[in-house]
Amino acid sequence: VFQNMQKAECYFTNGTEKVRLVERYIYNRQQYLMFDSDVGHYVGFTPYGERIAKRANSNPARLEYARAAVDTYCRYNYGIYGQFATVERR
């Protein structure tokens, strides 16, 4: 059985002041590619992932789309799932 999975996670610091998006691409429980909005480009972890990262980083439209996902995906949905993730500290 082969498993191919993509996982996107949003990290919020101080509400929506600092938002970080991390997309992970996993095949058979091994991460081969990652996009981190703080880094701003794709990073490959296997030879196959490095080839995909090189191709994705050479495409400016794809990079711009991935960087804009912070606003369109994370900040947009903050009101929906941000209330469950926040913890008040005293």
Side-chain angles (χ1 to χ4, degrees):
V1 175
F2 298 104
Q3 182 182 23
N4 194 15
M5 185 172 92
Q6 177 184 0
K7 186 174 185 176
E9 302 167 341
C10 295
Y11 297 99
F12 300 97
T13 305
N14 208 10
T16 58
E17 185 175 319
K18 175 137 174 66
V19 180
R20 179 179 172 213
L21 173 69
V22 177
E23 291 182 21
R24 302 175 194 278
Y25 298 84
I26 302 164
Y27 180 73
N28 281 353
R29 293 184 275 169
Q30 181 180 14
Q31 180 175 321
Y32 64 91
L33 183 69
M34 181 180 81
F35 176 80
D36 189 346
S37 63
D38 284 350
V39 177
H41 62 273
Y42 288 89
V43 178
F45 294 101
T46 64
Y48 175 67
E50 289 174 1
R51 283 197 324 257
I52 294 175
K54 184 177 179 182
R55 189 174 348 136
N57 290 333
S58 67
N59 186 350
R62 183 170 179 174
L63 278 178
E64 185 62 32
Y65 180 80
R67 290 177 186 140
V70 175
D71 293 326
T72 59
Y73 178 70
C74 294
R75 285 195 175 103
Y76 178 77
N77 292 318
Y78 177 76
I80 298 168
Y81 62 84
Q83 59 190 347
F84 299 110
T86 58
V87 177
E88 291 185 23
R89 299 180 187 250
R90 295 179 193 201

